[in-house]
Amino acid sequence: MTTTVDNAQTATNPTDTLGPVIDDVIRPQAPIIDRDGAFPRPGVDALAAAGLLGLASSTEVGGGGHGMRAVAEVIEGLAAECGSTAMVMLMHYAATAVIEAHGPRDVRAAIAAGDHLTTLAFSEYGSRSHFWSPTGTATAADDDVVRLDARKSWVTSAGEVNSYVWSSLPLTRDAGPMTLWLVPADSAGLSVTGDFDGLGLRGNGSRPMTADGLRVPSAARMAADGAGLDAALGAVLPWFLVLNAAFCLGLADSAVAEAGRHLTRTTLTHTGAALRDAPVTRRDLARLMIRTDALRAFLGDTLTALETGRDDAMLRVLQVKALAGETVADVTDGAMQLCGGSAFRKELGLERRFRDARAARVMAPTTDALHDFVGRVATGLPLLDEANR
């Protein structure tokens, strides 16, 4: 498992850059993106212009050189305002992690410059949320050319990015469980094959894609043939799980803050009392705050474990998304109940956060799968059975 430690001495605080983008673009656009199910292109473009696409890219290629902690703060801030934009960026950063480790310099430099948006293309119809078991194939075609065929079930930002980190079965049988490829978005034979009209995260562009005779140069392979699962577990998974936890934290924290504002400013005309004046209401708000702050503390400890190379870093990474998914579901549900009928109106933004929060439990690896992984690590078993590797 790999991660990058932030260098606060050489890099600008990214939250200083993020704030104006949120105020000017992300927050005003969020209700429109949710209403229309539109991809958050204005927000993504503004984030690119602010240098945030290359936040985690190496300074060697012109990137920000920031590690996971700074990136998590950005995802948390985005999720508090627009879950769809946050998810697009989350998948970009997760894909960037493996591109930084195994991708070509020109693509790394384009990401660093804010000229290249990328994403992961792992989930498939045949294996669903079991991303570690691809069914799509890679076949040697002409000299130095590989043919890819697959039916991807959900790809965030499908049709909107410049490249896809693409998983397949290996070229050589028994080479390993998975091979990763960097697939340009304009590749012939690559198509988006459906639409997304979801309960939440309505603008994240998560749609099915098909590769039908897609051809890429053999140099598009990232890591050795069959070594894609090790690359995914070592480079992608820590970023994906930790940033998902930050995403959940942003949603939960904003829901609690909105509930607190509602309870403070809403009064009962016949008594003159504010909703906050009821002890039971204050108690319920406190419980939501404590749950959210507990997640913040656990996420902070997970980041520290990664940055310091602690022995329990792997366990913490697996635990943090499971904890975050359950926390954000419960907290947003509680905030809806606290605010009553007002929460069902669009103005508060609570019902949007409630819907966006439902994704965390079922996004691969699901909460159930993570509980199994945690149990395996805790009892000395390998993360995956040998048949799945």
Side-chain angles (χ1 to χ4, degrees):
M1 184 180 303
T2 58
T3 187
T4 304
V5 178
D6 284 315
N7 187 344
Q9 300 301 316
T10 60
T12 303
N13 185 345
T15 56
D16 294 340
T17 306
L18 179 64
V21 176
I22 285 178
D23 292 340
D24 296 341
V25 184
I26 306 296
R27 188 182 298 117
Q29 286 284 314
I32 300 169
I33 289 165
D34 179 67
R35 182 194 68 201
D36 298 343
F39 187 78
R41 178 56 64 184
V44 172
D45 287 347
L47 292 165
L52 291 170
L53 285 191
L55 183 65
S57 299
S58 171
T59 55
E60 176 195 5
V61 292
H66 282 282
M68 201 180 289
R69 188 178 294 272
V71 177
E73 290 178 2
V74 167
I75 295 299
E76 179 188 343
L78 289 172
E81 304 298 340
C82 179
S84 294
T85 305
M87 187 53 61
V88 168
M89 293 299 290
L90 187 161
M91 297 299 282
H92 168 79
Y93 290 129
T96 295
V98 72
I99 293 172
E100 275 292 297
H102 301 287
R105 185 182 178 89
D106 62 330
V107 174
R108 293 173 58 211
I111 292 172
D115 296 330
H116 190 107
L117 184 68
T118 188
T119 194
L120 300 175
F122 283 5
S123 298
E124 299 187 359
Y125 281 99
S127 51
R128 310 304 295 184
S129 63
H130 295 185
F131 72 87
W132 52 89
S133 298
T135 58
T137 59
T139 309
D142 304 324
D143 289 344
D144 294 326
V145 174
V146 174
R147 170 176 172 152
L148 300 176
D149 293 278
R151 294 178 66 216
K152 300 291 182 178
S153 54
W154 299 108
V155 179
T156 298
S157 308
E160 301 285 352
V161 297
N162 301 100
S163 68
Y164 302 89
V165 174
W166 189 276
S167 62
S168 76
L169 290 167
L171 274 167
T172 305
R173 186 177 179 180
D174 300 327
M178 179 193 294
T179 296
L180 295 182
W181 309 88
L182 185 61
V183 174
D186 59 359
S187 299
L190 181 65
S191 60
V192 178
T193 52
D195 294 320
F196 179 71
D197 186 12
L199 172 72
L201 300 181
R202 289 177 42 75
N204 86 126
S206 187
R207 297 183 287 173
M209 296 191 73
T210 296
D212 184 6
L214 188 160
R215 290 172 175 254
V216 294
S218 57
R221 191 183 71 213
M222 293 191 290
D225 187 34
L229 182 58
D230 288 337
L233 294 178
V236 179
L237 194 65
W239 283 85
F240 181 78
L241 295 181
V242 170
L243 295 185
N244 258 277
F247 170 86
C248 293
L249 178 60
L251 281 175
D253 194 53
S254 62
V256 171
E258 188 57 58
R261 285 190 291 269
H262 179 74
L263 299 180
T264 300
R265 68 191 175 206
T266 305
T267 59
L268 301 174
T269 302
H270 63 293
T271 66
L275 297 182
R276 68 180 179 186
D277 293 334
V280 171
T281 300
R282 295 196 300 270
R283 178 203 67 190
D284 290 345
L285 179 64
R287 286 174 173 171
L288 300 182
M289 292 178 64
I290 291 168
R291 289 287 302 277
T292 302
D293 286 342
L295 173 57
R296 186 184 305 280
F298 197 96
L299 174 58
D301 184 68
T302 301
L303 288 162
T304 298
L306 285 166
E307 291 164 350
T308 60
R310 257 176 26 203
D311 290 343
D312 64 345
M314 176 68 164
L315 183 61
R316 283 287 181 264
V317 166
L318 297 172
Q319 290 172 319
V320 73
K321 179 180 177 286
L323 174 66
E326 296 305 301
T327 298
V328 73
D330 292 346
V331 167
T332 53
D333 183 61
M336 289 284 290
Q337 293 182 60
L338 263 179
C339 295
S342 296
F344 284 79
R345 299 201 308 263
K346 300 289 186 180
E347 295 95 304
L348 289 185
L350 272 179
E351 57 84 31
R352 170 164 51 87
R353 292 173 173 89
F354 173 86
R355 288 185 284 106
D356 287 349
R358 304 305 106 179
R361 287 169 163 168
V362 298
M363 188 175 296
T366 65
T367 298
D368 286 343
L370 287 168
H371 285 160
D372 181 48
F373 291 164
V374 170
R376 284 174 169 272
V377 171
T379 58
L381 290 172
L383 194 64
L384 295 169
D385 291 329
E386 194 60 34
N388 291 321
R389 291 189 62 84

